[in-house]
């Protein structure tokens, strides 16, 4: 108890001094003027959220205005994007951004660009900037504050050890290192395969608007990667699988799928393919095959009349239908 009481008091006092000293900020000047530019989306990852706007982490290659005489550079940002607009942002796509020439790390995606800038984004091609060009906020005050907090913790720990070194070290015995303690997990292997699934409970199914994308974000957090090799969606179940040894052309980004369009495709498959009494449906999403662009979406419907399926591309456009009794 004396160790905890004295150590906690010293730490609290030092952290208070650190906060008071590190949070002093100079008075800010006029806000910088933003400029519009185009940026290549290197990667994106939705980090969660229960509302219609979800926070998304982007890695961008920004191509500044030629007047700035600055080469393309990389930046990491987090921005809230509406669920309806999220399918428009995909890896290797082009977006309109607003940036500050004096603060190149201050970048914001323009979700509603003007027609002229929207046309530029559709026609533009931007090469990826190297990782060495990544810029971040060199906030000296924030860094000093973090350093002061760290030093406060270290100073508090040193004081606790010096003041109570007798009780601390005499209390140590051989029992704190059991002989059968498990070793740390090996990191020699850099490749892994994974498969995980989740079941949606309650009366509503995955066809409910926004339910598929929210479930996909949950699975993405479980496997700790957004690049997968297969996604399977049923009425109350979603599963993903992947293999880190696969090349990028044999995987796809989990958040790039048009989840908001899939319920309409399921309804179309259940009503137009000759299955008059559909009993089950299933969505299988796999990487592109051959010269295909984007993942392949197949919706299979089964009923007493037989099985039929509908194929669509990554934008939700139907590319093939095979009704009941058709070959293939």
């Amino acid at each position: 108890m004396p160790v905890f009481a004295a150590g906690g008091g010293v730490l609290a006092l030092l952290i208070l001094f650190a906060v008071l000293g590190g949070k002093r900020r100079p008075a800010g000047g006029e806000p910088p003027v933003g400029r519009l530019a185009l940026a290549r989306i290197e990667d994106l990852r939705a980090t969660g959220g229960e509302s219609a706007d979800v926070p998304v982490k982007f890695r961008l290659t920004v191509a500044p205005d030629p007047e700035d005489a600055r080469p393309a550079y990389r930046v990491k940002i987090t921005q809230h994007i509406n669920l309806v607009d999220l399918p428009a942002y995909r890896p290797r796509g082009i977006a309109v951004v607003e940036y500050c020439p004096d603060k190149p790390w201050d970048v914001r995606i323009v979700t509603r660009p003007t027609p002229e800038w929207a046309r530029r984004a559709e026609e533009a091609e931007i090469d990826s900037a190297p990782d060495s060009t990544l810029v971040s906020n060199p906030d000296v005050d924030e860094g000093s504050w973090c350093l002061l907090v760290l030093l406060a913790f270290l100073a508090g720990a040193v004081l606790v050890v010096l003041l109570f070194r007798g009780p601390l070290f005499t209390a140590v015995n051989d029992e704190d290192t059991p002989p059968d303690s498990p070793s740390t997990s090996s990191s020699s292997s850099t490749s892994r395969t994974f498969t995980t699934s989740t079941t949606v409970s309650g009366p509503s199914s995955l066809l409910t608007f926004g339910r598929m994308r929210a479930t996909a974000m949950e699975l993405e957090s479980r496997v700790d990667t957004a690049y997968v090799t297969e996604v399977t969606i049923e009425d109350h179940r979603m599963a993903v699988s992947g293999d880190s040894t696969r090349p990028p052309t044999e995987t796809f980004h989990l958040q790039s799928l048009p989840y908001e369009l899939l319920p309409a495709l399921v309804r179309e498959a259940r009503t137009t393919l000759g299955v008059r009494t559909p009993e089950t449906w299933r969505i299988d999403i796999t990487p592109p095959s051959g010269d295909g662009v984007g993942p392949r979406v197949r919706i299979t419907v089964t009923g007493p009349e037989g099985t039929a399926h509908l194929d669509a591309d990554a934008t939700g456009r139907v590319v093939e239908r095979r009704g009941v009794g058709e070959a293939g």
Side-chain angles (χ1 to χ4, degrees), residues 191-193 228-230 242-251 287:
S191 64
R192 68 186 183 98
T193 59
V228 298
T229 58
E230 185 178 3
D243 186 351
S244 61
T245 61
R246 294 282 189 92
T249 55
E250 296 182 11
T251 64

Side-chain angles (χ1 to χ4, degrees), residues 56-290:
V56 182
K57 292 184 178 179
F58 290 91
R59 283 195 305 116
L60 305 174
T61 291
V62 180
D65 191 305
E67 296 181 0
D68 293 342
R70 181 189 181 98
Y73 63 92
R74 286 204 178 192
V75 67
K76 295 180 180 179
I77 66 170
T78 299
Q79 183 170 334
H80 283 73
I81 302 295
N82 192 277
L83 282 172
V84 177
D85 300 329
L86 196 55
Y89 302 99
R90 300 178 180 175
R92 298 179 292 276
I94 305 299
V96 181
V97 299
E98 182 180 9
Y99 74 101
C100 297
D102 297 334
K103 297 180 179 181
W105 57 87
D106 188 4
V107 177
R108 180 183 65 87
I109 293 178
V110 180
T111 57
R112 296 291 185 270
T114 62
E116 173 65 19
W117 278 98
R119 182 185 60 79
R120 293 187 188 182
E122 292 178 357
E123 299 175 354
E125 293 184 3
I126 300 176
D127 294 331
S128 298
D131 291 334
S132 58
T133 62
L134 180 67
V135 298
S136 58
N137 187 355
D139 194 336
V140 177
D141 289 340
E142 191 69 21
S144 301
W145 181 82
C146 294
L147 181 60
L148 286 174
V149 171
L150 176 61
L151 292 177
F153 274 104
L154 292 177
V158 171
L159 286 176
V160 169
V161 172
L162 291 178
L163 292 175
F164 300 97
R165 59 185 181 274
L168 284 174
F169 289 105
T170 55
V172 177
N173 53 52
D174 293 337
E175 293 181 358
D176 60 356
T177 55
D180 296 331
S181 60
S183 60
T184 57
S185 59
S186 173
S187 59
S188 60
S189 176
T190 59
S191 64
R192 68 186 183 98
T193 59
F194 57 84
T195 298
T196 187
S197 64
T198 186
T199 301
V200 177
S201 59
S204 62
S205 72
L206 284 169
L207 295 180
T208 305
F209 181 80
R211 199 71 180 270
M212 287 188 188
R213 188 171 298 279
T215 306
M217 286 189 284
E218 176 187 345
L219 294 177
E220 178 183 337
S221 63
R222 289 188 189 180
V223 299
D224 197 28
T225 180
Y227 290 92
V228 298
T229 58
E230 185 178 3
V231 175
T232 302
I233 306 174
E234 296 173 320
D235 195 26
H236 287 83
R237 180 179 177 273
M238 179 182 289
V240 299
S241 60
D243 186 351
S244 61
T245 61
R246 294 282 189 92
T249 55
E250 296 182 11
T251 64
F252 56 90
H253 199 282
L254 197 57
Q255 295 300 329
S256 67
L257 301 176
Y259 296 107
E260 291 71 24
L261 303 178
L262 296 182
L265 292 176
V266 172
R267 287 193 292 270
E268 182 176 350
R270 298 176 67 181
T271 56
T272 64
L273 299 180
V275 183
R276 292 188 296 274
T277 312
E279 295 177 347
T280 61
W281 59 268
R282 172 183 171 131
I283 302 175
D284 294 291
I285 306 174
T286 54
S289 58

